[in-house]
Every structure is written in structure tokens, then in C-alpha cells.
Amino acid sequence: MKHSSIICLVISTALCFSSFAADEPVKRFQAGAFAVDITPVKLPVLVNGGFLPRSVDAVGDPLHARCLVLDDGKERIALVVIDSCVIPVTLADEIKRLIESETKIRRDRIMMSTTHCHSAPSLTFLLGTPADDDYVAYLPKKIVEGVAAAVKNLAPAKIGWAVGNDSNNVYCRRFLMREGTAQTNLFSGKTNDRAQMNPGHANPNKIVRTGPVDTAVSVLSVVSADDKPIAVFANYSLHYVGVSGNVLSADYFAVFAARIKDKIAEKIGADNVPDSFLGVMSNGTSGDANCVDFLNPNRKFDYKSVGDEVAQAAMDVWTNIQYFDWVPLGMVEKRITVKNRVPAPEEVQAAKAHIVALPDGKIKTGNDVYAQSTIMMENWAKTSEVPLQAIRIGELGITALPGEIYGITGLEIKARSPFYPTFNISMANAYFGYIPPEEQHRLGGYNTWRTQTSCLEVDTEAVIRQTVVDMLKELR
């Protein structure tokens, strides 16, 4: 009986360990990348990003959706960055549904952001510009094609990360102004504005910048098992850099993608950089930032010079990245309900009177646009469901935020994150406009004026910030 009991114990123990082993993920790390051309085939197209509608019938440079798929043997996630100004939550959700159907990647494991370039076809009504319906219908199948191609390209890989810095191309664009001198808006939901965006170099009424900026250039690098570069996925908190001419353009984001490839090729030899290499620049917390320093003499720059300088900042740290042949992946998504700022009945009536009084009925000024927006918001829902994501790639943390986030918010998330480093992707999975901290709301100014580009209640930033920090801790 003793021998029989021992044999049973050994068999039972062996089966137990076998069960544990079966449950463990296979520790293999894979990555696949692909950039799909999403340049419209039908021109002209409506382009948003400005106050008034703009029609464009020429292509300055192609637009892409840049897709990176990562797999640790248990989790598979997709990071998609689209050359577009913003994407509404309904369209993002539909594209994710299609991706899930085609590739089996769970829709809550897909991060989809836009670069926020202001020279791409309009995907939603924004300020005075409606969506370009033909392009909205065209885009989803192209993005699905891109992610499917990235999945097809999955192969054994190694991954690493680093953080560089570029303080030459990002400055706070909001200033506290002398009382009574800040720009205002009749239909903004604000009074006594003290902050002004882009006050100009010679404006004597600007006092001080209203907040800090994030100058980090965060770099996620993926190489093959034999050390051939697969992708560099970067993040920088610069709003955008305008291009000259009435043309479609992917802005400095595409310049970065090309130049980082060139710089790597110069370092390790062009033969060692595959044609399929993917460069990606995502937009960080740039809601109150741009590349103009209003406190010093105006400097010369353009989207090409900025793209090259940021690529150099990334390259400076890329050369020393430590790679891992396996890291755990994790991703969580939460949808929180927040209040919308909706106009009062008397504000709607004033806006309607303003529109009726327009001489030819055409929207021409900022006040006209905000009056029109006030009328459109009359029947808005009292709340919105806002998607938030947190991602873990080994010791790297990433958050995905659905709007234009201020520098101070991004810096506080980084400071409180349990991962180092951490970076924040804005304009991700949805667009709910500017999301200023409550103290910035009190200063007023363009970024706080109530419209589609600034519609959430004043306490929303604090709720989002706390929620994503908690999500990062959950992943930890």
C-alpha cells in the first residue's frame, strides 16, 4: 500500500505540474509592421483643422495608416496611427470591429490614433467643416488591409525603448494676458477670458505661458531576431507643423518616418534596413503646444526641418537601446461616462438670432462658427462615453487618450505611472476635443470655448488622469 500511495502521489504531482505548464504562455515574441497608403483616390476632398471649410484637389505627399502588431505568445495588440486630423468614436469603433472580424485581434486590444495633421480629409464635422462622406466610406477597408498585412508579417522579434529630448520644437502656445486684452467669443460659454492662444511675438499684453510642455521624444524600437530594424514607434508632444499650399500632406509626422529610416541606414548600412521598415510618429500631449516660441524672436522652420530634428533626437537614443527577446504585453480599456457642456436655452436663441442676421447667410467668422456650433449642440446628449486605454510592453507604459491633452496632464501621468518610461498618445480611439485641466478652464481662451472641439465638463481632465493612472497600476 505504501508503494502504491507513493506512485499515486508521483503521478498526481506530475499531472499537476503538467497542467501548470500547459497554462503558461509560450514565451515567443513576434512583431509585424505595415504602412498602408490611405491617400484619397477621389478628389477634391474636404479638409478640416481650420475654422472654415477647405476643399483640396492636389496631393503634396501621400497619407498612410501605420500599423504595428505585437504578440508575446498570449496577448496580441495592434497600434495604428493614421495621417488624419481626428477620428470620431463611432468610426474608430466600426473600423476596430472590422479588424477584429478580419484578423481576430480583439477590438479592445487595438489602439487607433490620428497624427492630428491639418492637411488630411475630414472624418467628422469639426468647427465649420463637415465630414467628407466619400472618404469616410473609403478609409475603413484600407486600415483593415493595413492591420491584416502587419499580422501577415508577424515574425520573431526583439523589442526595446528609450527616451530622448527635443526642446527646440515645442512651446506652450497659451499665454496669460493682461486683463481685458485676451480674445473672446460671443458663443463660447465663457466670460472674462484671461488666456489667449498664439498671441504673437510683438503683443505687449502677454504675461506668461499658462503651463509646461513635454519635450520628451519617446522611442519604441522593434528589430528582427537577427537584429534587422522592423519599426520605430515614437511619440512627441508637438501639435502639428503647417504645410504651405492647398495640398494634402502627412505633415512632419511623415518626414519623421522617412528620416528615422534614413538615419538608421546611415548608422548601420542601407543593406541592413529592409524596405518594409516602418517609422511612426504619434502625437503626445500637445493640446496647448506648438513649435512657435512667442517669447523670443521668430525663427525659421518648416515641417521638413522639424521632422528631421525630431528624428535626430530619436536617433540619438536609438543607438543605445537594450533589446529583449521577450517581454509581457498587457492592455486594458475602460469607457467612462462624463458630462457634456451644453448651451443654455438663452444661448441657443442668441446664436439663432446671430445666424439669421448674417447678410448672405454664410459662415465667415469665428463668431459665426461658434454660433452655428451652439445651435448644433442644442440637442446634444447630457453625457458622453469616453474610451481610455493603458498598454504595458514590458517595463514601458503607454496611455491612449481621446482628445487634445495639455502638457501638464501628460507630465503628471508620467510622474505617477508605475512604469518607466511612460508616454501618452492623444487623439486616440475617439475625439472629444480639448480636455483642459480645471484651472485652465478658469482662464478661458480658445482651447476652452464650448464647441465640438471643447465639449466635456470642466472636471473631466482630473477624472481621465486618475483613471488612466489606475489602469496603469492595474497592468503593473
Side-chain angles (χ1 to χ4, degrees):
M1 288 294 292
K2 289 183 179 179
H3 290 298
S4 175
S5 298
I6 292 171
I7 291 170
C8 289
L9 177 62
V10 170
I11 292 173
S12 176
T13 304
L15 288 172
C16 181
F17 278 113
S18 174
S19 175
F20 285 144
D23 289 338
E24 290 179 355
V26 178
K27 286 196 172 184
R28 56 166 177 75
F29 195 83
Q30 292 185 298
F34 192 79
V36 61
D37 193 319
I38 59 170
T39 310
V41 294
K42 182 179 179 181
L43 298 172
V45 290
L46 289 171
V47 168
N48 60 13
F51 271 85
L52 301 176
R54 180 161 63 102
S55 180
V56 175
D57 61 3
V59 178
D61 53 86
L63 310 176
H64 290 88
R66 295 176 170 84
C67 312
L68 178 63
V69 175
L70 304 175
D71 189 311
D72 70 351
K74 183 178 180 181
E75 287 280 12
R76 180 172 290 183
I77 66 174
L79 308 177
V80 182
V81 178
I82 307 163
D83 288 329
S84 186
C85 188
V86 302
I87 189 166
V89 65
T90 50
L91 181 58
D93 283 349
E94 173 60 14
I95 296 173
K96 290 180 186 181
R97 184 189 68 78
L98 295 171
I99 292 171
E100 182 180 54
S101 176
E102 176 71 20
T103 69
K104 310 308 178 188
I105 300 176
R106 286 171 46 178
R107 66 191 74 180
D108 62 350
R109 298 297 187 267
I110 302 168
M111 190 291 302
M112 184 176 298
S113 71
T114 61
T115 58
H116 202 55
C117 63
H118 282 42
S119 302
S122 177
L123 297 179
T124 188
F125 202 110
L126 197 65
L127 293 174
T129 306
D132 188 290
D133 292 335
D134 288 337
Y135 189 72
V136 171
Y138 170 77
L139 184 63
K141 63 181 180 293
K142 299 300 294 183
I143 296 179
V144 174
E145 176 187 321
V147 177
V151 171
K152 186 177 180 181
N153 290 340
L154 280 167
K158 297 183 284 188
I159 194 164
W161 46 84
V163 180
N165 185 74
D166 183 346
S167 58
N168 190 50
N169 289 296
V170 60
Y171 303 90
C172 181
R173 60 178 178 163
R174 270 170 58 89
F175 278 77
L176 180 68
M177 306 295 288
R178 299 189 190 281
E179 194 163 357
T181 65
Q183 293 174 349
T184 189
N185 187 298
L186 295 175
F187 306 101
S188 65
K190 298 285 184 179
T191 58
N192 301 319
D193 291 283
R194 289 298 311 274
Q196 181 172 318
M197 183 180 75
N198 299 337
H201 286 85
N203 191 330
N205 295 311
K206 60 181 183 291
I207 300 173
V208 66
R209 295 184 177 109
T210 60
V213 292
D214 186 349
T215 62
V217 179
S218 299
V219 179
L220 174 67
S221 181
V222 185
V223 299
S224 65
D226 58 353
D227 297 316
K228 296 290 179 65
I230 293 175
V232 167
F233 188 108
N235 180 263
Y236 186 51
S237 295
L238 172 59
H239 206 73
Y240 76 102
V241 189
V243 298
S244 60
N246 194 38
V247 297
L248 295 178
S249 173
D251 205 327
Y252 101 92
F253 306 95
V255 176
F256 173 91
R259 292 298 292 135
I260 192 66
K261 181 179 182 180
D262 293 342
K263 291 175 186 292
I264 292 174
E266 292 166 5
K267 182 71 177 179
I268 67 174
D271 292 344
N272 293 313
V273 183
D275 291 340
S276 60
F277 172 83
L278 179 72
V280 186
M281 173 55 71
S282 60
N283 201 317
T285 49
S286 64
D288 57 343
N290 64 16
C291 48
V292 183
D293 179 4
F294 289 107
L295 291 182
N296 289 294
N298 202 5
R299 64 190 179 96
K300 290 185 178 180
F301 65 88
D302 59 23
Y303 75 106
K304 292 182 180 179
S305 68
V306 171
D308 182 72
E309 289 180 22
V310 179
Q312 186 58 53
M315 189 64 201
D316 288 343
V317 295
W318 182 87
T319 54
N320 295 318
I321 288 176
Q322 176 187 359
Y323 290 94
F324 303 91
D325 56 14
W326 185 86
V327 294
L329 299 176
M331 188 167 180
V332 292
E333 178 176 306
K334 292 184 179 179
R335 301 204 172 207
I336 62 172
T337 300
V338 300
K339 293 180 180 179
N340 291 325
R341 289 187 291 148
V342 295
E346 57 271 20
E347 292 177 297
V348 175
Q349 291 304 314
K352 289 179 177 178
H354 178 89
I355 295 297
V356 169
L358 293 177
D360 53 7
K362 293 183 178 180
I363 305 296
K364 296 179 180 179
T365 70
N367 273 331
D368 299 345
V369 169
Y370 277 83
Q372 180 186 57
S373 177
T374 299
I375 296 168
M376 291 174 61
M377 296 177 75
E378 178 181 13
N379 297 313
W380 270 33
K382 296 294 190 291
T383 61
S384 289
E385 188 180 69
V386 175
L388 304 172
Q389 289 176 334
I391 302 166
R392 175 187 185 177
I393 302 174
E395 293 301 310
L396 171 69
I398 304 173
T399 72
L401 309 169
E404 303 188 53
I405 312 299
Y406 282 37
I408 184 63
T409 302
L411 292 169
E412 289 194 15
I413 291 171
K414 289 183 176 185
R416 296 178 58 197
S417 171
F419 295 99
Y420 181 80
T422 293
F423 66 81
N424 307 288
I425 301 174
S426 61
M427 268 69 72
N429 305 304
Y431 181 71
F432 289 95
Y434 291 100
I435 307 178
E438 190 165 355
E439 61 270 19
Q440 295 289 333
H441 267 291
R442 289 195 290 269
L443 295 177
Y446 162 74
N447 312 62
T448 71
W449 293 342
R450 183 195 58 231
T451 183
Q452 312 103 311
T453 61
S454 184
C455 59
L456 302 180
E457 193 51 80
V458 297
D459 62 350
T460 302
E461 181 270 348
V463 175
I464 287 176
R465 175 165 36 87
Q466 183 61 53
T467 302
V468 295
V469 168
D470 290 343
M471 291 164 69
L472 288 168
K473 290 178 179 178
E474 179 182 333
L475 287 172
R476 178 86 260 181

